[in-house]
Amino acid sequence: MRSKGKLKSAFLAAFPNTVPILTGFLFLGMSYGIYMNTSGFPFWYPCLMSLTIFAGSMEFVTVSLLLGHFDPLQAFLMALMINARHLFYGISMLDRYKGLGIKKLYLIFGMCDESFSVNCTANIPNGVDKGWFYFFVTLLNHSYWFIGSTLGGIFGSLLSFNTEGITFVMTALFVVIFLEQWLKDKNYISALIGVVVSVISLVVFGKDDFIIPAMIGIVGVLTLLRKPIEGGKSAK
């Protein structure tokens, strides 16, 4: 009974922090499910991928990888570059997730931008188990994405309106992320580096092969200029 009470209190504390994510993940997940359906995949594809991949931007990219020629090295490098930020998330969460036992395995797998933000900034009430709070935040966010993707995959085939152009949702996703970062950041060096390196890679490698070189270049330049960039931000 005591353990049930601990789980309930952690769930009730975690849920309100994930409500804003609920609305976003449901609609974006449904867009992804519809995108998969209109690309020729049955509903269980977005269902399965949202369970096993759980990386929104990578899941959108996976559609083109599945439709293109078989290239496991390209898929690996693409996934590594797109989700490279999680390396830094993971390092910063080492202390928080320390000593959480088997829950830690799911917390590592389910790490996403939104779960990281909540688990880093939420004020956990006294008496609530922190490990279970982190777990339920991650589980709830994962569930929202799974439900949205599955609904999109199921109902995508029932839509009667013209879905031409829905593939633009992935482009829109990255544009919104870029604009949000631009508005929040007072130092635009990182964003400008990303734009410049991407344009150069596009010119040099062409539209079909520029993404991986661009991401490698961005990571390399940001690594070399990390101290000046961080110094500029702290000075502000």
Side-chain angles (χ1 to χ4, degrees):
M1 291 295 292
R2 220 170 137 188
S3 61
K4 286 184 179 179
K6 182 167 66 172
L7 293 176
K8 183 179 179 180
S9 62
F11 178 85
L12 293 177
F15 176 70
N17 289 278
T18 65
V19 171
I21 301 166
L22 164 63
T23 54
F25 270 19
L26 282 181
F27 284 103
L28 189 57
M30 288 181 68
S31 299
Y32 166 66
I34 295 171
Y35 175 37
M36 285 288 290
N37 186 273
T38 56
S39 298
F41 296 95
F43 83 92
W44 56 267
Y45 264 82
C47 174
L48 181 62
M49 290 208 295
S50 62
L51 274 177
T52 56
I53 299 177
F54 188 41
S57 52
M58 188 62 216
E59 289 181 52
F60 278 100
V61 173
T62 301
V63 179
S64 60
L65 292 176
L66 291 173
L67 293 174
H69 63 279
F70 180 67
D71 191 343
L73 178 60
Q74 182 191 27
F76 170 76
L77 291 175
M78 187 83 75
L80 180 62
M81 292 297 106
I82 290 176
N83 295 296
R85 65 190 184 282
H86 291 152
L87 296 172
F88 303 99
Y89 290 172
I91 292 173
S92 64
M93 297 300 283
L94 284 175
D95 290 336
R96 291 177 184 269
Y97 289 172
K98 188 176 181 180
L100 297 184
I102 197 170
K103 292 192 290 294
K104 184 177 180 180
L105 298 177
Y106 179 71
L107 291 171
I108 293 171
F109 162 76
M111 175 83 70
C112 66
D113 299 352
E114 293 76 13
S115 296
F116 170 78
S117 298
V118 173
N119 286 337
C120 272
T121 60
N123 292 318
I124 303 175
N126 293 330
V128 172
D129 184 275
K130 291 186 178 180
W132 283 113
F133 177 89
Y134 298 147
F135 177 85
F136 282 124
V137 166
T138 306
L139 180 64
L140 285 167
N141 290 338
H142 192 180
S143 301
Y144 303 151
W145 181 258
F146 169 75
I147 292 170
S149 301
T150 303
L151 289 176
I154 293 174
F155 294 113
S157 59
L158 305 178
L159 295 175
S160 57
F161 63 86
N162 188 356
T163 57
E164 185 179 356
I166 197 171
T167 55
F168 186 73
V169 70
M170 184 176 69
T171 304
L173 171 66
F174 286 116
V175 170
V176 170
I177 292 173
F178 176 81
L179 290 176
E180 285 187 348
Q181 190 63 36
W182 181 275
L183 292 173
K184 289 179 181 177
D185 206 347
K186 295 181 180 179
N187 186 328
Y188 304 120
I189 296 176
S190 300
L192 292 174
I193 288 172
V195 172
V196 171
V197 173
S198 297
V199 170
I200 293 173
S201 299
L202 178 62
V203 172
V204 174
F205 297 99
K207 65 178 183 179
D208 295 326
D209 301 306
F210 83 98
I211 295 180
I212 291 178
M215 290 183 174
I216 294 175
I218 291 169
V219 172
V221 174
L222 289 177
T223 301
L224 291 173
L225 299 179
R226 187 186 66 177
K227 289 184 178 180
I229 293 173
E230 289 179 349
K233 289 183 178 180
S234 61
K236 301 261 183 197

